[in-house]
Amino acid sequence: MSERVRRGRPGHDQESVLRVAIDLFNRQGYDATSMGDLARELGLTKSAIYHHVTSKEHLLELALDEALGKLTAALDTVRADPSYSPEQRLRAAVRSSVVVLTEHLPAVTLLLRVRGNTPAEQKALARRRDIDHRLAEMVREAAEAGAIRADVDPLLASRLLFGTVNSMTEWLRDDSDAEALADTVTTLAFDGLMRHG
Amino acid sequence: MSERVRRGRPGHDQESVLRVAIDLFNRQGYDATSMGDLARELGLTKSAIYHHVTSKEHLLELALDEALGKLTAALDTVRADPSYSPEQRLRAAVRSSVVVLTEHLPAVTLLLRVRGNTPAEQKALARRRDIDHRLAEMVREAAEAGAIRADVDPLLASRLLFGTVNSMTEWLRDDSDAEALADTVTTLAFDGLMRHG
């Protein structure tokens, strides 16, 4: 399918169909959602919806690409900054992850629920594992630089750290303040709940 | 249904059927799992399975009761100890939550995936919200006692704290060391990733 947005009826384009599809997938589950459900939600006939998108799986791919693309780009930006120490790099990675999660909440929520039931989901899971490896590597580098505590396995620390970030999809709202949340999560992760000094 | 374990064929009782059902629900989703799937997994006929359990929903209720019962009992025990300061009480609540999650991993995993599609799920969600309120209350009490940082909203701190604990269902294995994990999670939550002193 071409990158160009294909238009059917006035009032809908591929982008607006995608937004509604992602919300529906998150609400009732991807597997349980049919193209008929999506057409009903959009007020279109089932045949009209195919003016906008080729298949349910293509909508899933677009959604997962959005989440994975933004997360990958954020890590690329962090990694490319030569001024960061390993600790600053890890802090920036945590901050960026929270910002992407908040700003692309529906797509990231869908990504985190993917269990690998289809080839598109398996491909997304592989890309998600790659991101997890990059994050774990940043934790390991910060540990080796002596910046973070040595008494916790870096892989475990990484899982807990980004498990915290991912768990935010359970209660975040689209209108949450991404920058303020990113600061709070980074502060709690690095400095803990205890009052210091 | 009576509390007494009803036996059908040798080799299965309600408890062993429940373990297999919880694993199957976690693997392929509760909604997508039929009693026929469960019978196949157990090597029973579909009619034989009803010697052990009355319905799929009853299995779900038993599983959710297990998770909710253990979490509630752990918080009751923590709350009942008059020797705890608010900070110690919160630390104990975090520790206990990790231990329950590790020791009852399949049932807690199922609980955390419940979305409220049936009356049994809605009842479980209400009990889960009650537990979340009790945990948030412990965070608020520790904040009011000056034990934890005042610059983070207690509700947000509570969500992040127990979001971290709940996210462990994504990667934990049944054979994980519950006590060691509970120590690590509590240390990271209260003292943070940074090397101190």
Side-chain angles (χ1 to χ4, degrees), chain A residues 87 91 115 146-149 152 156 159-161 163-164 167 170-171 184 187-195, chain B residues 87 115 146-149 152 156 159-161 163-164 167 170-171 184 187-195:
Chain A
E87 181 200 330
R91 281 184 185 261
R115 291 281 170 255
I148 63 174
R149 53 195 322 136
V152 175
L156 175 55
R159 282 170 160 169
L160 291 170
L161 191 51
T164 308
S167 75
E170 295 290 319
W171 52 265
T184 300
T187 297
L188 284 180
F190 281 79
D191 302 323
L193 265 176
M194 294 295 290
R195 186 186 286 271
Chain B
E87 180 201 330
R115 292 280 169 254
I148 63 175
R149 52 195 325 135
V152 175
L156 176 55
R159 282 170 161 169
L160 291 169
L161 191 51
T164 308
S167 75
E170 294 291 319
W171 53 266
T184 300
T187 298
L188 284 180
F190 282 81
D191 302 325
L193 265 176
M194 294 294 290
R195 185 188 287 271

Side-chain angles (χ1 to χ4, degrees), chain B residues 7 9 16 26 33 42 96 111 118-119 137 149 160 170:
Chain B
R7 289 176 184 282
R9 285 200 186 187
S16 72
N26 280 330
T33 302
L42 287 160
S96 298
L111 172 66
T118 63
E137 180 68 11
R149 52 195 325 135
L160 291 169
E170 294 291 319

Side-chain angles (χ1 to χ4, degrees), chain A residues 82-135:
Chain A
S83 74
Y84 282 145
S85 68
E87 181 200 330
Q88 289 169 325
R89 190 179 303 128
L90 180 59
R91 281 184 185 261
V94 173
R95 276 202 105 266
S96 299
S97 301
V98 175
V99 170
V100 169
L101 184 139
T102 309
E103 292 181 346
H104 299 271
L105 183 58
V108 176
T109 300
L110 191 60
L111 172 66
L112 295 177
R113 292 189 186 163
V114 155
R115 291 281 170 255
N117 298 335
T118 64
E121 292 186 35
Q122 279 158 25
K123 202 176 130 209
L125 279 185
R127 288 179 67 191
R128 201 188 143 190
R129 274 194 296 273
D130 181 56
I131 290 172
D132 287 342
H133 287 152
R134 292 181 66 188
L135 293 169

Side-chain angles (χ1 to χ4, degrees), chain A residues 14-16 18-20 22-23 26 58-74 100-111 124 127 131 174:
Chain A
Q14 191 184 74
E15 176 59 24
S16 71
L18 178 59
R19 291 305 125 200
V20 172
I22 293 173
D23 283 339
N26 281 331
H58 185 235
L59 285 166
L60 180 66
E61 283 171 350
L62 290 172
L64 299 178
D65 276 349
E66 173 186 331
L68 290 160
K70 295 292 175 182
L71 288 166
T72 302
V100 169
L101 184 139
T102 309
E103 292 181 346
H104 299 271
L105 183 58
V108 176
T109 300
L110 191 60
L111 172 66
R127 288 179 67 191
I131 290 172
D174 274 330

Side-chain angles (χ1 to χ4, degrees), chain B residues 86-99:
Chain B
E87 180 201 330
Q88 288 168 326
R89 190 179 302 129
L90 180 60
R91 281 185 185 259
V94 173
R95 278 202 102 266
S96 298
S97 302
V98 175
V99 170

Side-chain angles (χ1 to χ4, degrees), chain B residues 142-158:
Chain B
E144 282 174 3
I148 63 175
R149 52 195 325 135
D151 58 348
V152 175
D153 172 51
L155 179 59
L156 176 55
S158 170

Side-chain angles (χ1 to χ4, degrees), chain B residues 120-158:
Chain B
E121 292 185 36
Q122 280 157 24
K123 200 177 131 210
L125 279 185
R127 288 179 67 189
R128 201 187 143 191
R129 274 194 297 274
D130 180 56
I131 290 172
D132 287 343
H133 288 152
R134 292 181 66 185
L135 293 169
E137 180 68 11
M138 289 188 196
V139 175
R140 203 179 52 71
E141 286 168 4
E144 282 174 3
I148 63 175
R149 52 195 325 135
D151 58 348
V152 175
D153 172 51
L155 179 59
L156 176 55
S158 170

